[in-house]
Amino acid sequence: DTGVSQNPRHKITKRGQNVTFRCDPISEHNRLYWYRQTLGQGPEFLTYFQNEAQLEKSRLLSDRFSAERPKGSFSTLEIQRTEQGDSAMYLCASSLVSPWGANVLTFGAGSRLTVL
Amino acid sequence: DQQVKQNSPSLSVQEGRISILNCDYTNSMFDYFLWYKKYPAEGPTFLISISSIKDKNEDGRFTVFLNKSAKHLSLHIVPSQPGDSAVYFCAASGIIKAAGNKLTFGGGTRVLVKP
């Protein structure tokens, strides 16, 4: 297993266009998270899935954002009608939740979005 | 509402000396605290964690200290090496279902270790 994979690594788009990011988590992991990171800030939680169920969405996730995880495997994050404020690094992470111990997330390298 | 804060945006230390990174939190329902390290163009990688029932956890050159009454934790790196130069994030998670086990991150501290 090569870890968490994200594609594309970098996307440049014009304001108003739609973009989609893909995340392939570690296969044994049952949870998948999306975070957003802007310059000089820490990662901010967007949403997470347990298997195929989307269990929580942050208020940061406006109705232009949608995330899916069909069949509990890979996940996609789509941003419709992009705005310049959407420019950020979008990080995907996965974890295997157990009843004990810290929930250690393994992150991918991220997908950087630049909206012109 | 920033529940996890890292008040020092940067830290510069000489190789071989100790690096001390600080983190404060406000939510008393956090039960696990983690430190992540991030190099440019890479995702954050897990470094070390501590449960709220402990006050110290050590792993090689890295030690995390937790002061629950002060809602404060720190990461000590001894001795610091040039390869430790990175951005370090403090993160916390809670056991309450509403908290979702998600990690809440601080803003990060950029560490520069000078040879």
Side-chain angles (χ1 to χ4, degrees):
Chain A
D1 196 339
T2 55
V4 178
S5 176
Q6 292 189 246
N7 288 288
R9 292 292 308 276
H10 199 168
K11 178 73 176 178
I12 301 172
T13 191
K14 292 183 179 178
R15 188 164 48 100
Q17 297 295 304
N18 299 345
V19 296
T20 299
F21 301 115
R22 175 179 170 126
C23 172
D24 288 272
I26 293 173
S27 55
E28 311 87 70
H29 286 180
N30 55 1
R31 280 206 177 169
L32 187 147
Y33 299 78
W34 285 99
Y35 280 79
R36 181 175 71 184
Q37 186 178 17
T38 52
L39 200 61
Q41 304 295 317
E44 295 175 293
F45 170 78
L46 292 178
T47 189
Y48 86 92
F49 294 82
Q50 175 137 334
N51 301 315
E52 67 272 14
Q54 188 173 17
L55 296 186
E56 187 177 347
K57 294 196 294 187
S58 161
R59 63 179 184 275
L60 293 175
L61 215 65
S62 76
D63 54 9
R64 296 185 297 106
F65 287 70
S66 63
E68 294 182 347
R69 193 182 182 198
K71 302 177 184 177
S73 56
F74 70 92
S75 175
T76 57
L77 177 68
E78 181 183 17
I79 309 173
Q80 295 182 327
R81 304 181 303 282
T82 52
E83 301 173 357
Q84 288 183 325
D86 297 331
S87 296
M89 176 73 82
Y90 290 85
L91 293 164
C92 176
S94 66
S95 71
L96 181 62
V97 176
S98 71
W100 56 85
N103 182 26
V104 177
L105 273 59
T106 302
F107 283 87
S111 293
R112 180 169 295 286
L113 173 64
T114 302
V115 181
L116 302 176
Chain B
D1 173 23
Q2 213 174 348
Q3 299 186 70
V4 179
K5 287 185 183 179
Q6 294 176 254
N7 290 317
S8 298
S10 64
L11 171 70
S12 181
V13 65
Q14 208 66 35
E15 181 180 4
R17 305 297 292 267
I18 184 171
S19 294
I20 300 176
L21 291 78
N22 294 302
C23 178
D24 297 294
Y25 63 96
T26 57
N27 189 339
S28 57
M29 300 307 293
F30 287 142
D31 69 332
Y32 275 99
F33 303 90
L34 302 85
W35 285 92
Y36 278 77
K37 177 168 75 174
K38 186 181 184 303
Y39 293 120
E42 296 183 12
T45 55
F46 170 71
L47 206 52
I48 191 169
S49 67
I50 187 167
S51 162
S52 59
I53 63 173
K54 295 188 174 182
D55 55 17
K56 178 182 174 181
N57 189 26
E58 192 172 351
D59 184 2
R61 297 186 297 114
F62 303 92
T63 303
V64 56
F65 296 92
L66 175 62
N67 182 334
K68 277 188 69 176
S69 60
K71 293 191 175 68
H72 177 85
L73 62 154
S74 62
L75 175 69
H76 292 206
I77 307 173
V78 182
S80 299
Q81 299 174 354
D84 296 330
S85 297
V87 178
Y88 289 78
F89 293 101
C90 170
S93 70
I95 57 170
I96 302 299
K97 199 172 185 181
N101 275 141
K102 64 180 181 287
L103 299 185
T104 301
F105 285 84
T109 297
R110 181 177 300 277
V111 173
L112 175 63
V113 180
K114 298 178 181 177

